[in-house]
């Protein structure tokens, strides 16, 4: 058994100013990503619309209301509710309200390496770019032809 106080876990994230704490390592979880988010109004869970080809994601809203978008619809998820996204399903989530949002994001398997954003490659026309962790934020390249792209993160 492992136990942590969430407030004692160091803040991390994607360099976008969002308060995020990665709980998997302190808890010894190897097969499940567990992230705790605190979103101020206007903040988002990620940099924008994306999918994990190799990971399903589940968000549990603990307080406030988070707004999730897919290419097809927008759904508000209130405190005490959860939402799931299948591998390959594009989504983005944010706090569009006036109150803070606190939520847990769970992903399995833990180590997702196949992240895509719905941006067409300028060279070969492939329909999505791969998002790759970089020193500052994310880098983007075409998984088909390898062309690098400069996108805001």
């Amino acid at each position: 058994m492992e136990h942590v106080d969430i407030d004692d876990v160091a803040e991390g994230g994607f360099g976008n100013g969002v308060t995020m704490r990665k709980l998997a390592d302190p808890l010894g979880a190897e097969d499940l990503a567990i992230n705790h988010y605190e979103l101020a109004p206007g903040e988002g869970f990620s940099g924008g619309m994306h999918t994990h080809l190799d990971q399903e994601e589940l968000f549990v809203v603990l307080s406030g209301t988070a707004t999730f978008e897919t290419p097809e619809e927008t759904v508000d998820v209130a405190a005490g509710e959860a939402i799931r996204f299948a591998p390959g399903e594009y989504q983005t989530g944010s706090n569009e309200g006036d109150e803070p949002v606190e939520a847990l994001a769970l992903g399995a398997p833990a180590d997702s390496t196949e992240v895509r954003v719905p941006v067409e490659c300028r060279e070969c026309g492939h329909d999505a770019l791969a998002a790759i962790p970089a020193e500052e934020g994310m880098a983007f390249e075409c998984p088909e032809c390898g062309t690098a792209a400069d996108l805001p993160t």
Side-chain angles (χ1 to χ4, degrees), residues 9-103:
V9 175
E11 293 180 18
F14 304 106
N16 59 357
V18 172
T19 301
M20 192 261 279
R21 292 178 171 91
K22 295 183 176 192
L23 303 178
D25 285 345
L27 289 169
E30 296 177 7
D31 300 319
L32 176 69
I34 310 164
N35 298 319
H36 177 267
Y37 286 90
E38 295 174 10
L39 302 179
E43 292 181 334
F45 292 98
S46 66
M49 189 74 66
H50 71 286
T51 187
H52 297 261
L53 299 179
D54 57 350
Q55 182 185 68
E56 68 180 323
E57 293 180 283
L58 177 80
F59 293 85
V60 180
V61 178
L62 304 173
S63 66
T65 300
T67 300
F68 290 89
E69 292 180 57
T70 69
E72 295 81 29
E73 65 181 316
T74 300
V75 176
D76 288 333
V77 181
E81 297 179 341
I83 190 166
R84 175 195 173 266
F85 298 98
E89 186 174 6
Y90 281 100
Q91 59 86 12
T92 188
S94 61
N95 179 358
E96 300 298 320
D98 297 327
E99 300 295 322
V101 168
E102 182 180 6

Side-chain angles (χ1 to χ4, degrees), residues 84-151:
R84 175 195 173 266
F85 298 98
E89 186 174 6
Y90 281 100
Q91 59 86 12
T92 188
S94 61
N95 179 358
E96 300 298 320
D98 297 327
E99 300 295 322
V101 168
E102 182 180 6
L104 290 175
L106 310 169
D111 295 326
S112 176
T113 59
E114 296 294 325
V115 179
R116 299 290 186 269
V117 295
V119 175
E120 186 175 292
C121 175
R122 67 178 183 274
E123 291 296 319
C124 73
H126 186 71
D127 65 350
L129 297 178
I132 304 161
E135 280 187 35
E136 292 186 29
M138 302 293 279
F140 301 93
E141 72 177 33
C142 179
E144 290 296 313
C145 72
T147 298
D150 294 323
L151 300 178

